[in-house]
Amino acid sequence: MSIYTNEDRYSMTAERYLAKHHVLVYIEDSIAQLLEHREENPKLNPIKMLSEYFTALRDGNHTMFREYQFIYQTPHNRASFVKLFWKCYRQIGKKGDLLSIQEYHSLITLLCSDFPFEVVQKTARIILMDDALDCLISFTDFIFAFQTQFYYEEFLDKCLEIYLSMIHTQSSPRNPVVVPSGADDTKIHTSSHHPGDGVDAMQYFRAVYPLCDRVNYSTPPAEALKEILFNVPRVSFYGFLMAIAKSDAINEHIGRLPPKSEILAGADPEVSAPSLVKSRPSSEVQITTDVNNSNPTNTNAPAQIPSKPRSRSVSRSRATVKGQNPCQPATSLTARSRKKVISSDESSDEDDDDETETDDD
């Protein structure tokens, strides 16, 4: 239960309750799923299927293999997808693996094939400087930054607009103060702070506060933002994002991930895809990531899942065993095995040629 109390649901109007909890979204989606499945199976029990749908929705198991548009549509879907990613790949953190943003994106696309790379890039910028985005990131740092960026995306975009506006005003004030110097010349006093120093934390809180508790997008609790911004004189935008990502109070408010100290503790939970979701199994999704290209693409190569940290000078090519569940720890392949995987197409072509010659004979 969050330490910050939300608006009492019994005091809401019907329209506000439906909008806040996106009830109509799930009703429409459940009916669409029902109609789609009934075309393939006319004997399908509608009551049983709807019961399974809303059970999966309640438990947060409804986002696996769904399209990005659906996952992005509601805060509950976004938070559930973050938890799904954590449950599927927490073994990476237990092993101490450090991955690149391209590799994290490849893992995400095993669960949502059309998940945009831009979200992962924005996540990396919370942790890394812009000129160090090719560095490797620990699983714990990534999962909390990913939760912050994905769950609060609209709020953070508006916070960035406010921040840039304050920086612009700070660097070129409209009304400079003119102070007499006692001589013929005058001195114009402007702000003594450089834009790189950030903005006044108290002023930033006053500017951001009106954004809190909106119906159309998720926002952190105002009390949590106050705790972050009242303890520092000045703050940069990415310092502000990092503070949100590290805040135990905000993480508790979202209510999906355990505290950072417990993120890798305990046994690995079992994850299974909802039976009512008609989607391509992730084991069939084939993804490759070019480490020199910031836009991973789908190809015919096997999905690349990292198995252990590599130095920047070593190739980060990965491969999984065909049909492997993405929610199970990735199995690393030896150099000899990788060579076999790479050369399998060539060997199969040779076999085909041999068979053709045999037939001709």
Side-chain angles (χ1 to χ4, degrees):
M1 188 71 178
S2 173
I3 60 176
Y4 301 108
T5 57
N6 291 326
E7 182 180 1
D8 185 0
R9 66 175 182 267
Y10 296 109
S11 65
M12 295 183 189
T13 63
E15 292 77 11
R16 180 174 174 82
Y17 182 88
L18 292 175
K20 186 176 181 66
H21 296 283
H22 303 87
V23 176
L24 298 180
V25 171
Y26 296 117
I27 292 178
E28 292 176 359
D29 184 65
S30 63
I31 298 301
Q33 292 285 323
L34 175 61
L35 295 176
E36 185 176 1
H37 281 73
R38 288 198 68 177
E39 290 181 359
E40 298 181 355
N41 185 9
K43 296 182 180 180
L44 181 69
N45 187 336
I47 297 178
K48 181 179 180 181
M49 179 177 173
L50 291 176
S51 174
E52 292 178 355
Y53 178 92
F54 286 102
T55 298
L57 176 65
R58 178 199 64 193
D59 297 338
N61 297 327
H62 62 299
T63 58
M64 181 179 285
F65 309 142
R66 293 301 303 269
E67 62 280 2
Y68 176 74
Q69 182 180 3
F70 175 75
I71 295 173
Y72 185 80
Q73 201 165 8
T74 73
H76 177 67
N77 290 357
R78 298 187 198 185
S80 297
F81 186 78
V82 171
K83 183 177 181 180
L84 174 67
F85 180 84
W86 166 70
K87 291 167 68 176
C88 287
Y89 301 121
R90 61 185 299 212
Q91 191 67 23
I92 294 173
K94 286 187 174 183
K95 291 181 178 180
D97 292 353
L98 305 176
L99 309 183
S100 68
I101 58 176
Q102 289 86 358
E103 291 166 333
Y104 278 116
H105 180 248
S106 292
L107 294 176
I108 291 174
T109 52
L110 291 177
L111 303 175
C112 172
S113 61
D114 62 339
F115 198 95
F117 183 67
E118 182 183 3
V119 178
V120 184
Q121 276 187 316
K122 289 182 178 180
T123 298
R125 288 193 177 96
I126 298 177
I127 307 168
L128 306 171
M129 301 295 289
D130 286 343
D131 58 351
L133 293 181
D134 60 336
C135 292
L136 306 183
I137 305 173
S138 71
F139 179 81
T140 301
D141 288 342
F142 179 83
I143 191 67
F144 284 105
F146 179 56
Q147 175 178 248
T148 298
Q149 177 59 49
F150 191 42
Y151 190 75
Y152 292 125
E153 183 167 8
E154 296 88 349
F155 171 75
L156 299 183
D157 288 343
K158 293 184 180 298
C159 286
L160 178 59
E161 292 177 7
I162 294 173
Y163 181 85
L164 294 177
S165 176
M166 293 179 67
I167 287 291
H168 178 72
T169 302
Q170 175 179 293
S171 59
S172 56
R174 296 179 180 178
N175 299 314
V177 179
V178 179
V179 181
S181 62
D184 294 337
D185 298 331
T186 58
K187 295 181 180 179
I188 299 178
H189 288 239
T190 59
S191 174
S192 60
H193 293 284
H194 189 271
D197 298 335
V199 298
D200 183 273
M202 190 73 69
Q203 292 180 1
Y204 191 56
F205 174 77
R206 294 194 188 101
V208 168
Y209 180 77
L211 301 176
C212 295
D213 195 25
R214 296 294 183 91
V215 174
N216 52 342
Y217 57 82
S218 301
T219 64
E223 289 298 320
L225 296 180
K226 184 183 295 185
E227 291 175 6
I228 292 173
L229 295 174
F230 278 31
N231 292 323
V232 292
R234 302 185 69 79
V235 64
S236 67
F237 180 68
Y238 289 107
F240 174 64
L241 297 187
M242 179 58 76
I244 293 178
K246 290 182 176 181
S247 172
D248 289 333
I250 293 178
N251 180 57
E252 185 179 353
H253 179 260
I254 297 174
R256 295 300 188 279
L257 298 179
K260 190 172 185 178
S261 59
E262 303 174 10
I263 195 71
L264 303 177
D268 294 334
E270 295 183 1
V271 182
S272 58
S275 59
L276 60 146
V277 175
K278 180 183 178 183
S279 182
R280 187 179 182 184
S282 66
S283 59
E284 297 178 3
V285 178
Q286 296 179 326
I287 302 163
T288 184
T289 303
D290 181 358
V291 295
N292 296 320
N293 185 358
S294 61
N295 296 311
T297 56
N298 291 346
T299 69
N300 294 324
Q304 296 178 334
I305 298 182
S307 57
K308 57 183 179 180
R310 304 277 183 107
S311 66
R312 232 184 273 179
S313 61
V314 179
S315 173
R316 300 195 188 102
S317 299
R318 306 287 191 269
T320 55
V321 179
K322 184 177 182 181
Q324 180 179 358
N325 189 333
C327 299
Q328 297 297 329
T331 303
S332 60
L333 301 178
T334 62
R336 182 178 299 177
S337 300
R338 285 198 295 270
K339 183 177 180 181
K340 290 182 179 180
V341 171
I342 294 172
S343 61
S344 60
D345 293 337
E346 298 176 359
S347 60
S348 61
D349 293 340
E350 294 174 359
D351 293 340
D352 293 340
D353 294 338
D354 295 338
E355 292 176 1
T356 303
E357 293 175 0
T358 303
D359 295 338
D360 293 340
D361 295 339

